[in-house]
Amino acid sequence: FWCMKESFDQVEGVISVVSGYSGGHLKNPTYEDVVYTDSGHVEAVEIIYNSKVTTYKKLLDTYWQNIDPFDSEGQFCDKGKSYRSVIFFENKTQKNLIDASYEKYEKKFSKKIVTLIWKFDKFYPAEKFHQDYYEKNFIRYLMYKKGCQREETLNKIWN
């Protein structure tokens, strides 16, 4: 979620991005619960945005451009169930937009996308350490991104 926070922070109209967990059955999970037990949660971000400045569709496009939609094992060097790519929806309009974007990208790549689509229920903010990580720990964050070859992988997929 660190890298997704950085990506969404750059979108005009985004008011806040919070790192956290969603999609599972455990109430108030910790990072350890999410990564090391079968809580059902994945790392996620909560995005608050001004709909007069940006759209859900724009947020979807930003999401797609910042993930590997073909990796069923996780994202980049983070592997495991809690690191899978998931798009959450709250209503039928959002679900329809997700479905349309899913189709568009499967058609573009002629390849099966493995990103999951889940009905949103509850979001739990992650621990303070994880909030704004890319700003508070800039050098470590850059080393993480470089070590995981995030930019190289994204460029291979999307450019």
Side-chain angles (χ1 to χ4, degrees):
F1 41 39
W2 297 338
C3 296
M4 297 308 282
K5 166 135 176 69
E6 178 190 20
S7 300
F8 283 110
D9 275 350
Q10 296 171 21
V11 175
E12 186 178 354
V14 167
I15 297 165
S16 74
V17 182
V18 177
S19 296
Y21 317 110
S22 195
H25 54 83
L26 184 65
K27 291 183 179 182
N28 302 310
T30 64
Y31 177 78
E32 286 74 19
D33 293 329
V34 172
V35 174
Y36 301 117
T37 72
D38 193 14
S39 70
H41 290 287
V42 293
E43 287 190 354
V45 290
E46 176 185 58
I47 302 164
I48 307 298
Y49 66 100
N50 181 340
S51 61
K52 293 177 181 163
V53 179
T54 194
T55 64
Y56 188 81
K57 184 181 177 318
K58 168 70 174 155
L59 297 176
L60 274 176
D61 289 341
T62 300
Y63 177 82
W64 287 117
Q65 298 288 315
N66 285 282
I67 67 159
D68 177 349
F70 310 112
D71 187 346
S72 63
E73 303 296 317
Q75 288 293 294
F76 311 100
C77 61
D78 293 322
K79 302 299 181 193
K81 289 172 89 173
S82 61
Y83 297 112
R84 294 172 296 173
S85 61
V86 178
I87 303 174
F88 291 93
F89 66 93
E90 293 183 293
N91 55 51
K92 189 164 179 59
T93 300
Q94 289 178 350
K95 175 73 164 76
N96 290 341
L97 288 167
I98 294 165
D99 290 344
S101 69
Y102 208 95
E103 262 184 59
K104 176 176 90 173
Y105 289 121
E106 274 196 339
K107 194 176 286 185
K108 173 182 174 155
F109 292 108
S110 299
K111 192 173 180 181
K112 174 106 177 93
I113 289 176
V114 297
T115 298
L116 302 167
I117 301 171
W118 290 355
K119 175 89 172 112
F120 175 75
D121 181 36
K122 181 96 172 111
F123 177 83
Y124 298 95
E127 297 79 355
K128 188 175 180 178
F129 170 80
H130 293 293
Q131 304 303 329
D132 305 313
Y133 187 86
Y134 80 95
E135 294 169 316
K136 295 176 185 172
N137 300 283
F138 187 67
I139 300 301
R140 290 177 104 182
Y141 174 71
L142 289 179
M143 290 171 46
Y144 164 80
K145 277 177 62 172
K146 184 74 172 159
C148 290
Q149 298 183 327
R150 182 180 175 81
E151 299 303 321
E152 295 87 342
T153 302
L154 290 173
N155 285 332
K156 283 179 190 172
I157 296 169
W158 298 102
N159 295 331

